[in-house]
Amino acid sequence: MTCEYRCGNACFHKVPNTSSNAYFGDVAASAFSRRAALQAGTVLALAGGATSALGQGAAAAPPPHAPGGTAVGLRFEPIQQQTGDAFTVPPGYLHDVVIRWGDPIFSDAPEFDPENQSAEAQLRQFGYNNDHVGLFDLGRGEHLIVANHEYSSEPMMFPRYDPENPTQAQVETAWAAHGLTVVAVSGEWRGRRSRALDPVLDHPLNRRLHTSSEFELTGPAAGSELLRTSADAEGRTVLGTLNNCAGGLTPWGTWLTAEENFNQYFANADAVADPTARERLSRYGATGGESGRKWERFDARFDLALEPNEFNRFGWIVEVDPFDPTSTPKKRTALGRFKHEAANVQIAADGRAVAYMGDDERFDYLYKFVSDEAYVEGDVAHNATLLDNGTLYVARLTGDSPASQIDGSGTLPGDGEFDGSGEWIPLVSGNTSHVPGMTAQEVLIFTRQAGDAVGATKMDRPEDVEPSPRTGAVYVALTNNTSRTAAQAEEPNPRAVNKFGHVLELVEAGSDASAATFAWSIFLLCGDPEDPSTYFAGYDKSQVSPISCPDNLAFDDHGNLWISTDGQPGTLGTNDALYGVAVEGRQRGEVRQFLAVPAGGETCGPVITDDRVLVAVQHPGEVDGASYETPLSHWPDGGSSIPRPSVVATYRADGKKIGHA
Ligand code: FEO
Ligand code: CA
Ligand code: CA
């Protein structure tokens, strides 16, 4: 059910990437190996000199580990794998629901009433299926939460829902339930020691953005003929943002939110006659016939036969200024168009902004964007231009072990590591295309095909890509890819039928985020640690928690990586969860499970501070057979209630810091 409503059953369709670019890179082309980098002290240089995501020098202190002890920040008692309809936290921790689907964010909104839900009510309430969560500190105990509402699950949202005949009221409510929320929350009123947070109704920054809100296309592809429609002859103004999955906060205080499986909202790709247009649609997973939600019956722009370019106006990274509630969010075309999972910004050695991005599809690619201009602290107007001008790159990874040693089993090659070198292949710089046969605007709008043309490396669903603010090393969550065969196994994606996914570690040459080359190694090969194909950075596998399908990543203030999962029910038979793992020091690879979400749910968010861990519980109880009439979860309200996607705060019962002894 989640497959159908979230991503239009992407995994049941044929792989959209039918390009013939090679699976095996040219080992001889390797110019920069991770081992050489380590020997040259590059990693040490990173720890001492990298610029953090906040544009400040990173700490040069040694990794925060007590001798023989678990890393600071991860000193909680790991929980066991869970299967129940409960949100589970470690002993000594409490959790509290911050905001649920349908909770008002304005005082003129009605209280949530699923029997009588309307678009009018939903537009003033928290949307459905929260995914990315970002947190800004407003001071005085107040914070600003920014949250994505990735998709609607109509059979679970609406009483008596008929998927063949949705009503106009249901469709309009779903449009309102998609999109974004900006909402202030406060922890003040519960007393000094409580870490619980509650929405601040009518806060001046509270805002809903949805399928009918205006978004501006900016950057080199804005205004392209390929982006013009009958409603927008200029190709610059789009209504709505769709399937916003994860995202990131920029050093200049804005929010990046990623349009992912937008293809599922569009109907009748088979009615498009032009072969070039059909090929482009196919590469982005557009299918023929009616769409799953049948929105095209209520708005012709979702009918590709009538409005073929509307499709091209989704699949972008969107930048929102949450501190200006009157601002028009920007779809930044310079960052390319694909099934964007997220975007996370690191400041390069010379001050330029570098955004790391994954295209979440089996056999699709890893990207980065490097701005032309440098970030200037405090210059809001200048920083607002950074993501419109720059170069978009796609990654090609090469292994350093003989191909014969990569047999698809996950067995480490003779040199003891899945590792090698990589290069960032430029695709487009402003109005200059680097891809033969494609214009700059075509590269930006059909970025997947540009990646095909230059021989990018086909990855196992690149999701969140997160640079460490402490070391500058970049971590890539590769969720899974059961379609990869043994013949297609290669050192960066070494397992055939990769059910459990892996996490890649990438070190840019010269410690510089704007570098043209990098070294990489596999940090985790996920799964049950008793499975011989798993690998936890060499850490003792008897001491780690099982983990599968890594999705969203975050760092805590101590440099530990936190990993949320999407897919443990179908792979480990347990609920999705959140883990912390040290990436430095003697405990590198010690994966510890912190929390688990209720059955059927996915762990999204996450935000880790010393005070709280925030996660979004997406699609709780969304399993085959569940519906509004037959809910298979009653979380969070209990009794016979329907489940409600919600943001949850977890904190210490004694008020002390997360993960400290
Ligand atoms: Fe919406 Fe790639 O997860
Ligand atoms: Ca190797
Ligand atoms: Ca995700």
Side-chain angles (χ1 to χ4, degrees):
M1 184 174 180
T2 295
C3 296
E4 179 179 351
Y5 284 89
R6 179 180 51 192
C7 53
N9 285 325
C11 294
F12 300 115
H13 290 122
K14 64 182 173 58
V15 170
N17 188 353
T18 56
S19 68
S20 58
N21 57 349
Y23 283 93
F24 293 98
D26 177 1
V27 176
S30 159
F32 180 77
S33 83
R34 179 168 180 277
R35 187 157 287 108
L38 287 167
Q39 284 166 355
T42 303
V43 171
L44 277 179
L46 272 168
T51 304
S52 80
L54 291 175
Q56 298 151 352
H65 299 97
T70 292
V72 172
L74 301 179
R75 293 178 181 170
F76 50 82
E77 188 178 318
I79 66 163
Q80 299 298 307
Q81 296 272 293
Q82 302 290 315
T83 56
D85 187 24
F87 189 96
T88 308
V89 298
Y93 284 74
L94 301 172
H95 74 279
D96 184 72
V97 172
V98 179
I99 190 166
R100 302 164 292 185
W101 164 48
D103 279 339
I105 65 168
F106 300 100
S107 55
D108 62 2
E111 284 301 318
F112 180 61
D113 177 2
E115 283 288 330
N116 295 290
Q117 182 64 319
S118 67
E120 188 183 15
Q122 181 67 84
L123 289 172
R124 311 288 281 172
Q125 299 167 335
F126 197 61
Y128 200 74
N129 265 344
N130 36 211
D131 196 313
H132 178 249
V133 174
L135 193 68
F136 293 95
D137 191 349
L138 297 177
R140 302 181 313 283
E142 281 194 347
H143 302 266
L144 198 62
I145 284 181
V146 295
N148 288 347
H149 303 295
E150 188 179 25
Y151 69 101
S152 49
S153 303
E154 282 77 355
M156 299 182 62
M157 295 170 66
F158 300 121
R160 300 168 292 283
Y161 181 73
D162 175 358
E164 294 308 312
N165 296 289
T167 67
Q168 179 148 1
Q170 288 168 336
V171 167
E172 289 179 353
T173 303
W175 289 343
H178 275 73
L180 316 172
T181 293
V182 180
V183 59
V185 295
S186 172
E188 294 268 278
W189 70 274
R190 294 210 188 179
R192 190 171 57 85
R193 300 200 80 179
S194 172
R195 305 289 191 198
L197 295 169
D198 291 287
V200 180
L201 291 181
D202 301 321
H203 190 282
L205 297 180
N206 286 3
R207 188 179 193 189
R208 278 299 324 281
L209 291 151
H210 47 82
T211 315
S212 304
S213 306
E214 261 190 25
F215 290 73
E216 182 186 354
L217 289 156
T218 70
S224 163
E225 282 185 14
L226 293 159
L227 299 176
R228 297 178 195 168
T229 64
S230 52
D232 174 28
E234 301 293 316
R236 294 180 183 275
T237 306
V238 185
L239 294 184
T241 187
L242 287 173
N243 212 260
N244 299 70
C245 189
L249 306 184
T250 67
W252 49 93
T254 62
W255 173 26
L256 303 180
T257 165
E259 297 182 331
E260 197 189 31
N261 292 292
F262 62 92
N263 56 312
Q264 64 181 300
Y265 300 96
F266 292 85
N268 300 325
D270 51 350
V272 174
D274 175 63
T276 302
R278 283 182 74 119
E279 192 181 323
R280 289 167 170 167
L281 288 167
S282 172
R283 187 66 182 85
Y284 283 82
T287 54
E290 291 187 299
S291 71
R293 292 179 181 80
K294 319 231 178 328
W295 288 1
E296 65 278 8
R297 295 183 190 174
F298 303 94
D299 188 340
R301 70 185 172 119
F302 296 110
D303 186 339
L304 286 159
L306 300 174
E307 207 61 74
N309 285 349
E310 184 71 5
F311 190 73
N312 298 339
R313 292 143 62 89
F314 295 87
W316 301 103
I317 291 291
V318 185
E319 184 170 17
V320 182
D321 180 356
F323 294 97
D324 179 0
T326 66
S327 60
T328 302
K330 309 290 193 290
K331 297 198 178 193
R332 300 294 190 191
T333 66
L335 277 63
R337 176 174 164 271
F338 40 92
K339 290 188 179 179
H340 277 288
E341 171 71 22
N344 289 290
V345 172
Q346 166 106 315
I347 301 299
D350 62 4
R352 290 183 292 164
V354 178
Y356 292 95
M357 303 175 286
D359 182 350
D360 182 6
E361 187 95 63
R362 295 164 294 163
F363 301 109
D364 255 295
Y365 308 135
L366 172 65
Y367 297 86
K368 80 173 178 185
F369 169 85
V370 182
S371 67
D372 287 342
E373 304 266 330
Y375 159 69
V376 178
E377 190 172 349
D379 190 340
V380 175
H382 168 77
N383 295 331
T385 68
L386 292 176
L387 301 185
D388 281 340
N389 304 289
T391 298
L392 180 64
Y393 299 84
V394 70
R396 181 158 56 206
L397 287 78
T398 305
D400 67 2
S401 294
S404 60
Q405 294 182 8
I406 313 298
D407 62 5
S409 70
T411 303
L412 293 171
D415 68 355
E417 269 196 293
F418 295 111
D419 63 343
S421 59
E423 57 185 310
W424 293 109
I425 306 169
L427 296 175
V428 56
S429 305
N431 294 313
T432 304
S433 169
H434 305 300
V435 181
M438 294 180 82
T439 67
Q441 291 188 338
E442 286 170 344
V443 170
L444 293 171
I445 299 170
F446 308 112
T447 309
R448 284 183 162 184
Q449 278 137 316
D452 299 344
V454 301
T457 298
K458 296 174 174 176
M459 307 296 289
D460 287 349
R461 291 187 56 195
E463 296 222 58
D464 215 345
V465 187
E466 192 81 31
S468 164
R470 179 183 163 80
T471 69
V474 178
Y475 295 81
V476 184
L478 296 151
T479 291
N480 56 39
N481 182 358
T482 54
S483 297
R484 188 177 291 274
T485 65
Q488 294 168 332
E490 53 186 353
E491 203 160 346
N493 300 281
R495 287 194 293 195
V497 194
N498 183 10
K499 276 175 71 174
F500 305 114
H502 54 290
V503 178
L504 204 72
E505 183 181 63
L506 192 155
V507 177
E508 298 273 25
S511 317
D512 184 355
S514 69
T517 58
F518 57 90
W520 64 267
S521 69
I522 289 184
F523 174 59
L524 302 176
L525 278 171
C526 299
D528 186 322
E530 294 189 3
D531 175 339
S533 80
T534 59
Y535 173 75
F536 291 78
Y539 198 78
D540 179 356
K541 292 207 284 182
S542 71
Q543 301 297 311
V544 304
S545 301
I547 178 173
S548 174
C549 303
D551 185 343
N552 297 125
L553 307 175
F555 280 92
D556 64 25
D557 287 345
H558 313 285
N560 301 305
L561 179 65
W562 292 66
I563 305 171
S564 66
T565 68
D566 172 18
Q568 294 199 157
T571 53
L572 294 175
T574 54
N575 295 358
D576 276 313
L578 179 69
Y579 302 80
V581 57
V583 298
E584 300 172 82
R586 288 164 51 180
Q587 272 64 40
R588 175 177 157 89
E590 184 190 13
V591 171
R592 297 164 73 82
Q593 183 170 354
F594 180 73
L595 62 76
V597 302
E602 174 182 338
T603 317
C604 301
V607 180
I608 320 298
T609 73
D610 270 348
D611 294 336
R612 301 177 185 86
V613 172
L614 287 185
V615 295
V617 180
Q618 196 190 46
H619 58 79
E622 192 175 275
V623 294
D624 288 343
S627 69
Y628 184 93
E629 286 74 20
T630 55
L632 297 177
S633 165
H634 304 292
W635 185 88
D637 297 338
S640 60
S641 64
I642 59 169
R644 294 169 72 179
S646 305
V647 175
V648 181
T650 299
Y651 46 88
R652 289 270 291 260
D654 59 11
K656 292 183 178 173
K657 292 180 177 179
I658 300 292
H660 288 241

